[in-house]
Amino acid sequence: MILTLQDVVQPDLVVVTETAQISDRGIEGAPLLLVEILSPSTRIQDRTTKARRYAQLGVPHYWLVDPDVPRIECYRAESGRYAQLAQAEGSASLSHPDFPGLAIELQRLR
């Protein structure tokens, strides 16, 4: 995914709503949503460096998924930073205020 000429990244999941963003080179520009699956080797970077950069580059939604717990944390960009909007853990179901009708059963993450 190409956010800028200097910011080429490969998140675990990308959601775009504008088909014009998809080119032969890849996805260009900020998508609607980026999802990172946490692992021991990337956990700190996903929560800090990547989160800051994605927010600065205008990615509206950033989610972190921890399959070991299981847990999903959902963040929305506000003034160039992410604020947590929703979280679900264990056997709960995740709903999100910006995506009405969305329900993710966390027990299926295992």
Side-chain angles (χ1 to χ4, degrees):
M1 187 176 80
I2 305 162
L3 292 171
T4 71
L5 292 177
Q6 293 77 34
D7 294 282
V8 179
V9 296
Q10 190 172 358
D12 294 308
L13 179 72
V14 178
V15 176
V16 294
T17 56
E18 300 296 327
T19 57
Q21 287 184 264
I22 304 169
S23 74
D24 291 338
R25 296 177 353 140
I27 296 170
E28 300 189 42
L32 174 66
L33 167 65
L34 288 179
V35 178
E36 294 287 359
I37 309 298
L38 299 177
S39 69
S41 63
T42 65
R43 181 177 306 273
I44 293 171
Q45 185 178 3
D46 290 341
R47 289 189 174 283
T48 58
T49 308
K50 285 184 181 181
R52 279 192 303 268
R53 193 67 183 139
Y54 292 160
Q56 291 168 348
L57 294 172
V59 177
H61 295 275
Y62 183 53
W63 293 8
L64 297 172
V65 177
D66 189 338
D68 293 334
V69 174
R71 176 178 47 238
I72 299 178
E73 301 167 25
C74 303
Y75 298 89
R76 178 175 47 190
E78 296 177 2
S79 303
R81 302 181 68 133
Y82 284 119
Q84 190 173 30
L85 276 186
Q87 176 179 319
E89 187 172 310
S91 61
S93 176
L94 175 80
S95 60
H96 193 287
D98 291 348
F99 303 103
L102 174 69
I104 299 174
E105 301 296 326
L106 271 68
Q107 62 193 9
R108 294 181 178 232
L109 291 178
R110 292 191 175 223

